[in-house]
């Protein structure tokens, strides 16, 4: 599913002009996507000069937990390496 980041969107309307299904409209100077009309062609992703359109990829709870565990391990490893380098330089 595609979403518009309102903090990045300038309301230029380029995405709305590009969308082949008319799924994008401007509301309060920001683009919005009507999900019922979006066919996931992803054209708007390439045309937005701000990179304001992003794709949300659903992840399961297990996938999220695995990612968090992996990040924790990498962080611990980095901290250990930094501590080791600090000791060597003393
Ligand atoms: S092209 Fe990008 S910046 Fe312009 S209205 Fe669409 S989402 Fe906003
Ligand atoms: S993915 Fe395609 S159909 Fe959907 S909003 Fe973007 S340009 Fe329109």
């Amino acid at each position: 599913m595609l979403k518009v980041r309102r903090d990045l969107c300038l309301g230029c309307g380029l995405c709305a002009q590009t969308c082949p299904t008319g799924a994008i409209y401007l509301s309060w100077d920001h683009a919005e996507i009507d999900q019922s009309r979006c066919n996931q062609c992803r054209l708007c992703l390439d045309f937005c000069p701000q990179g304001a359109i992003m794709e949300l990829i659903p992840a399961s709870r297990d996938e999220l937990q695995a990612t968090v565990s992996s990040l924790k391990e990498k962080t611990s490893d980095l901290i250990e390496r930094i501590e080791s380098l600090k000791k060597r330089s003393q």
Side-chain angles (χ1 to χ4, degrees), residues 3-5 8-16 18 24-26 29-33 44 47-53:
K3 293 284 279 185
V4 177
R5 282 189 56 176
L8 294 178
C9 177
L10 299 174
C12 67
L14 273 176
C15 53
T18 304
I24 305 178
Y25 57 96
L26 294 180
D29 290 333
H30 291 95
E32 296 279 350
I33 298 175
C44 54
F47 275 82
C48 175
Q50 285 291 103
I53 301 177

Side-chain angles (χ1 to χ4, degrees), residues 48 56 61:
C48 175
L56 299 178
R61 188 183 175 91

Side-chain angles (χ1 to χ4, degrees), residues 2 19-21 23-24 33 37-44:
L2 300 173
C19 179
T21 65
I24 305 178
I33 298 175
R37 298 179 74 169
C38 175
N39 67 7
Q40 307 292 320
C41 71
R42 303 165 59 96
L43 271 177
C44 54

Side-chain angles (χ1 to χ4, degrees), residues 17-75:
Q17 292 170 25
T18 304
C19 179
T21 65
I24 305 178
Y25 57 96
L26 294 180
S27 171
W28 296 95
D29 290 333
H30 291 95
E32 296 279 350
I33 298 175
D34 178 348
Q35 301 298 332
S36 67
R37 298 179 74 169
C38 175
N39 67 7
Q40 307 292 320
C41 71
R42 303 165 59 96
L43 271 177
C44 54
L45 285 173
D46 295 332
F47 275 82
C48 175
Q50 285 291 103
I53 301 177
M54 63 178 184
E55 187 165 19
L56 299 178
I57 300 170
S60 70
R61 188 183 175 91
D62 287 347
E63 287 170 331
L64 288 174
Q65 281 178 336
T67 302
V68 169
S69 296
S70 167
L71 285 173
K72 277 183 183 171
E73 276 178 30
K74 287 176 184 167
T75 304

